[in-house]
């Protein structure tokens, strides 16, 4: 009886360990999250220039690794989800750090040019009703 | 020599009719063989699909060697060899004989030629079966391989193309990025980057070993490496040309049968020529073309 109870307990422990699913984000999700944090840092008006530079430098290093992990992730090859499709449609927006260094732009300038914000468009903008 | 007429010699009549029957059967339909005794049913299995190109043919050849069709082909081949020897012996004997014995030997020679043609016909059918089965198998393997690459929708193909373009652009700029990012003393290479570089070296040596492995050797044609699909297409084309050659050999057999029928008719009318061609010195007689000397020589 004791042996049976021990065996049952052992089976239950193994089953519970196996059933516990740990949610793991993919490489692309991690990259998207880190990029979003970095863009938030870029646009945060409450930060001083020095603080912003420090945070960007940290984010940049992390982003470099994450971008490389995404490019090297073979599991993304068979996925046709909207997130993956969008990610590879626009290299300049997805792989922000690599693309900005490649074009010799700062991160902020590169991102702004990708989303269509330029000095001219800001200067041409006017306050008015949106029809 | 007595003149024998068609109506007076039943044996001759039988011989002539038999020769005509052989000629007709070769011209109209192929002889039907016992299906169970001469079968080869290879499967286009996943194992075959995964084999390297050059080994696919070896595996198929090995499978064929263990099949009832290979045994049947071997048997027919042995019988043809024996029959060829018999023809040779009869021809020599007929050369040396005279009188009634010569006539008997000539009739026997004709009968043996008829049997030889029938055996060759059987062998042609078995060879045709072998080639067609092989071609069907290669086509099935090719379809399986092509299906593996199919099913990719337009969207998937676009995605794959974008991904490849991204990888290429990344590879082209990686060195520049490394130099600009890690040039300063403040930015150091991360742990991921160091471990990745170490593992890449190991991956590269393993990949080189895999590519150099004999089981991974690509088949070649004219010194150019062939992909698996191209190799299978080449095998299918070779099978089709083998079938064309078989068709030609069947034409030869048809003409041989016609000659035997004419010889039988000539013999029955007592018009046999006494001269015989000189004997051969035992050349290979495995194909119809190499045995024509038994048929073009009137004896």
């Amino acid at each position: 009886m004791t042996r049976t109870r021990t065996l049952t307990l052992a089976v239950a422990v193994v089953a519970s360990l196996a059933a516990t699913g740990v949610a793991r984000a993919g490489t692309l999700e991690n990259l998207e999250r880190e990029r979003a944090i970095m863009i938030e840092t870029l646009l945060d008006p409450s930060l001083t220039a020095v603080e912003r530079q420090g945070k960007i430098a940290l984010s940049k290093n992390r982003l470099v690794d994450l971008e490389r992990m995404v490019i090297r992730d073979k599991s993304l090859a068979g996925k046709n989800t909207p997130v993956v499709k969008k990610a590879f449609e626009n290299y300049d927006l997805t792989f922000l750090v690599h693309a900005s260094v490649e074009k010799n732009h700062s991160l902020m300038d590169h991102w702004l040019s990708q989303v269509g914000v330029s000095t001219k468009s800001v200067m041409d903008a006017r306050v008015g009703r949106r029809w | 020599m007595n003149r024998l007429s068609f109506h007076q010699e039943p044996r001759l009549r039988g011989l002539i009719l038999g020769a005509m029957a052989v000629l007709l059967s070769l011209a109209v339909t192929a002889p039907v063989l016992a299906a169970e005794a001469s079968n080869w049913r290879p499967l286009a299995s996943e194992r075959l699909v995964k084999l390297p190109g050059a080994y696919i043919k070896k595996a198929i050849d090995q499978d064929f060697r263990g099949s009832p069709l290979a045994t049947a082909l071997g048997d027919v081949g042995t019988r043809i060899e024996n029959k060829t020897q018999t023809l040779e012996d009869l021809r020599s004997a007929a050369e040396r004989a005279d009188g009634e014995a010569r006539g008997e030997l000539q009739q026997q020679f004709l009968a043996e030629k008829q049997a030889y043609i029938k055996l060759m016909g059987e062998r042609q059918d078995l060879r045709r079966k072998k080639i067609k089965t092989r071609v069907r198998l290669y086509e099935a393997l090719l379809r399986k391989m092509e299906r593996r690459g199919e099913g990719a929708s337009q969207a998937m193909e676009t995605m794959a193309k974008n991904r490849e373009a991204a990888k290429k652009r990344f590879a082209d700029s990686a060195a520049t990025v490394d130099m600009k990012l890690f040039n300063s003393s403040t930015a150091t290479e991360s742990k991921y980057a160091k471990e990745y570089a170490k593992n890449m070296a190991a991956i590269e040596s393993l990949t080189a070993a895999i590519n150099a492995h004999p089981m991974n050797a690509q088949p070649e044609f004219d010194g150019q490496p062939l992909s698996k699909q191209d190799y299978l297409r080449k095998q299918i084309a070779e099978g089709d040309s083998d079938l064309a050659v078989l068709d030609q050999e069947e034409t030869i057999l048809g003409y041989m049968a016609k000659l035997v029928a004419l010889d039988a008719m000539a013999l029955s009318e007592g018009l046999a020529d006494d001269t015989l061609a000189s004997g051969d010195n035992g050349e290979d007689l495995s194909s119809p073309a190499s045995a024509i000397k038994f048929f073009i020589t009137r004896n």
Side-chain angles (χ1 to χ4, degrees):
Chain A
M1 187 66 186
T2 314
R3 196 190 291 179
T4 314
R5 209 196 297 176
T6 313
L7 195 61
T8 313
L9 191 62
V11 168
V13 165
V14 167
S16 66
L17 280 173
T20 307
V22 178
R24 285 184 63 215
T27 49
L28 191 54
E29 285 78 11
N30 288 340
L31 172 65
E32 303 271 345
R33 188 176 52 246
E34 192 61 39
R35 195 174 66 237
I37 291 170
M38 200 202 62
I39 290 169
E40 207 180 354
T41 307
L42 284 174
L43 301 175
D44 191 351
S46 65
L47 293 172
T48 63
V50 171
E51 281 169 348
R52 186 176 287 115
Q53 277 303 109
K55 284 193 169 183
I56 286 172
L58 274 173
S59 257
K60 216 176 182 179
N61 284 344
R62 276 201 296 270
L63 269 176
V64 163
D65 282 345
L66 287 170
E67 285 174 10
R68 289 178 180 189
M69 281 184 215
V70 166
I71 273 284
R72 292 161 183 163
D73 189 351
K74 291 186 171 70
S75 68
L76 293 176
K79 289 185 184 170
N80 194 23
T81 60
V83 173
V84 175
K85 236 185 344 183
K86 208 80 186 145
F88 285 102
E89 263 170 15
N90 196 336
Y91 181 94
D92 288 283
L93 259 183
T94 307
F95 305 98
L96 209 55
V97 174
H98 280 79
S100 65
V101 172
E102 189 190 351
K103 292 186 173 175
N104 220 12
H105 293 163
S106 69
L107 261 176
M108 176 75 120
D109 286 343
H110 182 75
W111 181 74
L112 284 173
S113 72
Q114 286 303 307
V115 296
V117 176
S118 62
T119 308
K120 187 175 183 309
S121 62
V122 170
M123 295 303 284
D124 288 345
R126 60 180 179 84
V127 177
R129 287 178 84 135
R130 187 183 294 198
W131 297 104
Chain B
M1 198 165 90
N2 294 334
R3 289 177 70 88
L4 304 166
S5 76
F6 184 79
H7 299 290
Q8 286 175 344
E9 187 52 64
R11 194 177 166 192
L12 260 178
R13 192 165 61 235
L15 197 61
I16 292 163
L17 288 172
M20 305 279 266
V22 167
L23 176 67
L24 268 172
S25 66
L26 279 171
V28 176
T29 54
V32 174
L33 300 164
E36 288 309 311
S38 59
N39 242 338
W40 180 37
R41 293 202 178 104
L43 285 174
S45 62
E46 278 302 314
R47 181 189 144 263
L48 262 186
V49 171
K50 286 175 187 166
L51 278 178
Y55 285 86
I56 291 178
K57 187 171 184 298
K58 286 183 187 172
I60 292 171
D61 286 343
Q62 196 176 3
D63 186 71
F64 169 72
R65 277 194 290 272
S67 68
L69 181 58
T71 311
L73 258 173
D75 287 345
V76 162
T78 307
R79 280 154 61 199
I80 288 173
E81 274 175 29
N82 295 339
K83 190 63 68 185
T84 310
Q85 189 56 51
T86 307
L87 284 173
E88 200 52 63
D89 295 341
L90 276 172
R91 195 170 69 159
S92 312
E95 259 179 27
R96 289 192 297 273
D98 53 13
E100 209 172 293
R102 187 187 173 94
E104 284 284 327
L105 284 168
Q106 284 169 348
Q107 285 181 27
Q108 241 181 307
F109 188 52
L110 266 179
E112 289 301 326
K113 279 201 277 192
Q114 188 184 324
Y116 172 86
I117 292 169
K118 198 172 172 205
L119 274 177
M120 287 298 279
E122 277 181 32
R123 200 179 78 147
Q124 296 299 85
D125 292 332
L126 291 173
R127 282 175 65 197
R128 185 177 293 279
K129 202 173 191 176
K130 174 189 169 187
I131 294 168
K132 279 187 169 174
T133 307
R134 191 187 283 267
V135 167
R136 271 198 301 270
L137 177 61
Y138 285 136
E139 285 170 347
L141 285 173
L142 195 57
R143 275 196 301 274
K144 262 197 169 168
M145 281 181 199
E146 284 170 354
R147 256 202 304 273
R148 279 173 159 200
E150 277 179 7
S153 61
Q154 186 72 28
M156 285 287 278
E157 280 179 21
T158 311
M159 235 278 291
K161 235 187 275 185
N162 287 341
R163 193 161 175 270
E164 284 310 307
K167 279 168 78 173
K168 189 180 178 309
R169 186 172 162 184
F170 173 83
D172 291 345
S173 66
T176 316
V177 169
D178 277 346
M179 206 168 60
K180 285 185 182 172
L181 276 177
F182 301 117
N183 216 10
S184 69
S185 54
T186 53
T188 54
E189 215 177 13
S190 66
K191 182 185 163 199
Y192 164 73
K194 284 181 197 154
E195 292 296 316
Y196 181 83
K198 197 170 80 175
N199 289 336
M200 266 315 285
I203 286 168
E204 273 159 18
S205 22
L206 285 169
T207 310
I210 287 167
N211 289 337
H213 199 283
M215 280 297 281
N216 218 12
Q218 260 189 325
E220 282 185 3
F221 181 68
D222 275 352
Q224 296 296 322
L226 284 177
S227 68
K228 228 190 272 188
Q229 282 93 331
D230 287 339
Y231 177 74
L232 286 177
R233 283 187 201 103
K234 181 176 163 288
Q235 294 301 314
I236 291 167
E238 280 182 14
D240 289 339
S241 59
D242 287 343
L243 285 172
V245 166
L246 266 183
D247 287 340
Q248 206 183 22
E249 286 178 358
E250 276 186 6
T251 308
I252 295 174
L253 285 180
Y255 288 137
M256 282 178 175
K258 194 168 183 182
L259 271 172
V260 165
L262 290 172
D263 282 346
M265 275 166 37
L267 196 63
S268 74
E269 297 299 326
L271 297 175
D273 191 354
D274 285 337
T275 58
L276 290 168
S278 57
D280 71 307
N281 51 8
E283 60 193 73
D284 176 36
L285 297 168
S286 58
S287 76
S290 51
I292 59 166
K293 64 178 183 299
F294 291 126
F295 296 85
I296 59 175
T297 310
R298 306 251 322 277
N299 49 10

